[in-house]
Amino acid sequence: MLAKRLEQLHPYVPGEQPKDRVYIKLNANENPYPPHRSVSAAVAKACRCQRKRLGLYPDPDSCELRSAIARMLNQTGGVFCRSQVTGKKCSPSPEDTLPFELTAENIFCGNGSDEVLSIVFYTFFDNDRPLVFPEHTYSFYPVYCGYYNIPMNRIPLKADWSLDKEKMLEQANTSDSATIFANPNAPTGISLSRVELKDMLSRAPKNKVFIVDEAYCDFGGQSAIPLLKDFPNLVIVRTFSKSLSFAGQRLGYVVASPELIKAIFTVKNSFNHFPVDFLTQQAGIASCKAVYYYAEKSRLVVEERQSLTDFLRQRGWFVIDSSTNFIFAKKEGIAGHRIYEEVKKSGILIRHFNTPGIEDFVRITIGTKKQNNALKAALKNI
């Protein structure tokens, strides 16, 4: 009764979602801080004052939300932790200031960045040539390749765990293929500079899209958004789940040229005409207006990331420099799964991958100071 294509699927495995007890969850890269109070207020107001809207279809194009996202990006340059906050206003740091102004025509919204990625895969990647991406990166990429029957060309990371840019470019040009990777990368946390991204774009195939997944950029990366001015084949995927404390709702988006956004809308309207529901749109708009709050929380995450990194290195751990809201670390002589199990006994969840090559590492989401102190206490006992 099942379609043969089902045999090719290898589903994504998310971070553990426990039901048997309450844990400190540092395993799913969720934001440890709650959304701004205006977000829940906006949802409550929508339910109270626009109750009839709950029985009607939402705006299929999310026009107001897309405009709000564009304004938010103009105010931050796509990096929250470096944004300059004055009262309730944000402005981008000099290195992140955009050379143009984004509008709603540059934005596409979907039901979480995973759905957005699915639509992007369908829109831009053919099954007659391999998609180029790093061997160790967001593990949904190979899942979608299986789903859409897209060949893969997975490029090993370099010895220092950074992306092998030259090898990726060589393979992309050899097969005239599209490229996708997370920047900062997951699970390593390493970020390419905008100069490096520009160099890659200038040498990658111009007739194929070049996709940068910026799920973690707000915690210290350099956004590729300014490069849209010179590279019409650039597509940037972003999410509300991390820096905007939105993982419990679902909202992701694309930043690209209006021409590519139109192509993505064509696929969306052939798949799910109403992906972003009415309440999520209201919550998303409120989140964009409170960007000053999220900029401050992103800075707190960066401070705690450095504190945890220093703590581990002082105790002989190897910790990769991170530009994200997590760190990727290992301790010589202690298996990654043992670290995971021992920490779990203390009521804390971190992430361990059984993937060959990174099986000795654990990925630790940055929590609040209180959560991180509990983790430090647990790690001392290993």
Side-chain angles (χ1 to χ4, degrees):
M1 292 187 293
L2 302 179
K4 290 184 178 179
R5 68 174 71 92
L6 194 64
E7 299 174 0
Q8 306 301 318
L9 295 186
H10 301 281
Y12 174 76
V13 179
E16 185 176 356
Q17 301 289 332
K19 296 180 176 64
D20 57 333
R21 61 175 286 189
V22 177
Y23 288 89
I24 295 175
K25 284 186 82 271
L26 303 179
N27 67 331
N29 296 343
E30 297 150 322
N31 198 311
Y33 301 102
H36 189 266
R37 59 182 179 273
S38 63
V39 177
S40 54
V43 173
K45 182 180 179 181
C47 291
R48 185 176 65 251
C49 302
Q50 302 185 66
R51 190 160 53 96
K52 289 185 178 180
R53 291 288 301 274
L54 299 179
L56 304 176
Y57 288 114
D59 173 10
D61 296 330
S62 304
C63 293
E64 188 179 355
L65 173 59
R66 290 163 57 212
S67 293
I69 292 172
R71 287 193 297 271
M72 175 187 70
L73 294 174
N74 290 330
Q75 292 170 22
T76 64
V79 184
F80 286 3
C81 73
R82 287 195 297 271
S83 296
Q84 300 170 355
V85 179
T86 305
K88 294 186 177 182
K89 294 184 178 180
C90 260
S91 58
S93 68
E95 70 178 281
D96 299 317
T97 302
L98 302 183
F100 54 88
E101 188 169 287
L102 292 168
T103 69
E105 292 184 342
N106 295 109
I107 309 296
F108 168 84
C109 295
N111 183 29
S113 63
D114 289 335
E115 181 188 70
V116 166
L117 281 168
S118 176
I119 294 172
V120 163
F121 268 62
Y122 191 94
T123 305
F124 299 114
F125 304 150
D126 291 314
N127 54 18
D128 63 345
R129 66 198 67 214
L131 174 62
V132 176
F133 58 91
E135 179 183 10
H136 299 299
T137 188
Y138 185 33
S139 50
F140 229 128
Y141 302 159
V143 171
Y144 279 140
C145 283
Y147 190 83
Y148 291 116
N149 194 29
I150 299 168
M152 296 178 283
N153 191 344
R154 305 176 71 168
I155 309 302
L157 300 180
K158 296 169 70 174
D160 63 358
W161 301 99
S162 64
L163 301 188
D164 192 334
K165 303 184 297 294
E166 294 303 320
K167 189 67 173 179
M168 291 176 66
L169 285 168
E170 175 190 328
Q171 294 299 308
N173 282 301
T174 297
S175 56
D176 194 28
S177 296
T179 301
I180 186 172
F181 58 90
N183 190 54
N185 194 34
T188 60
I190 295 177
S191 180
L192 296 180
S193 69
R194 192 175 300 119
V195 170
E196 291 175 297
L197 292 173
K198 184 176 181 179
D199 176 64
M200 290 185 73
L201 277 158
S202 67
R203 294 190 287 146
K206 302 297 186 296
N207 61 328
K208 294 292 184 294
V209 294
F210 188 98
I211 299 186
V212 181
D213 185 345
E214 293 189 345
Y216 301 101
C217 196
D218 284 317
F219 300 103
Q222 287 192 331
S223 178
I225 293 174
L227 302 179
L228 288 169
K229 182 174 182 290
D230 299 315
F231 297 97
N233 63 326
L234 174 61
V235 175
I236 301 162
V237 178
R238 297 177 67 102
T239 181
F240 273 55
S241 295
K242 316 302 181 186
S243 56
L244 285 150
S245 304
F246 220 83
Q249 299 183 266
R250 305 304 300 136
L251 184 57
Y253 61 101
V254 172
V255 190
S257 69
E259 291 72 26
L260 295 187
I261 293 296
K262 288 178 182 177
I264 296 171
F265 265 106
T266 297
V267 174
K268 185 271 288 185
N269 290 331
S270 303
F271 168 70
N272 180 3
H273 195 54
F274 302 99
V276 184
D277 65 75
F278 169 64
L279 292 180
T280 298
Q281 291 189 36
Q282 300 307 303
I285 293 166
S287 297
C288 291
K289 291 178 179 178
V291 64
Y292 59 91
Y293 166 86
Y294 297 104
E296 292 170 347
K297 297 307 181 188
S298 295
R299 271 195 286 275
L300 290 177
V301 169
V302 171
E303 291 173 7
E304 283 299 310
R305 182 183 72 206
Q306 189 61 52
S307 173
L308 183 57
T309 298
D310 292 343
F311 172 87
L312 292 174
R313 285 176 174 169
Q314 289 165 7
R315 285 157 180 79
W317 288 62
F318 173 74
V319 185
I320 298 176
D321 288 331
S322 174
S323 299
T324 66
N325 68 337
F326 62 84
I327 59 173
F328 205 49
K330 65 178 180 176
K331 182 69 181 292
E332 192 68 31
I334 306 178
H337 70 84
R338 184 193 160 200
I339 298 171
Y340 160 80
E341 294 290 352
E342 292 295 325
V343 170
K344 186 175 181 180
K345 291 177 184 177
S346 299
I348 304 171
L349 293 178
I350 58 178
R351 190 79 190 268
H352 173 252
F353 299 90
N354 285 316
T355 308
I358 59 173
E359 66 272 18
D360 286 336
F361 282 87
V362 290
R363 193 194 68 191
I364 305 171
T365 303
I366 305 303
T368 62
K369 183 178 291 292
K370 182 178 180 180
Q371 291 173 328
N372 290 337
N373 285 341
L375 174 67
K376 290 174 183 177
L379 291 172
K380 286 179 181 178
N381 297 327
I382 298 178

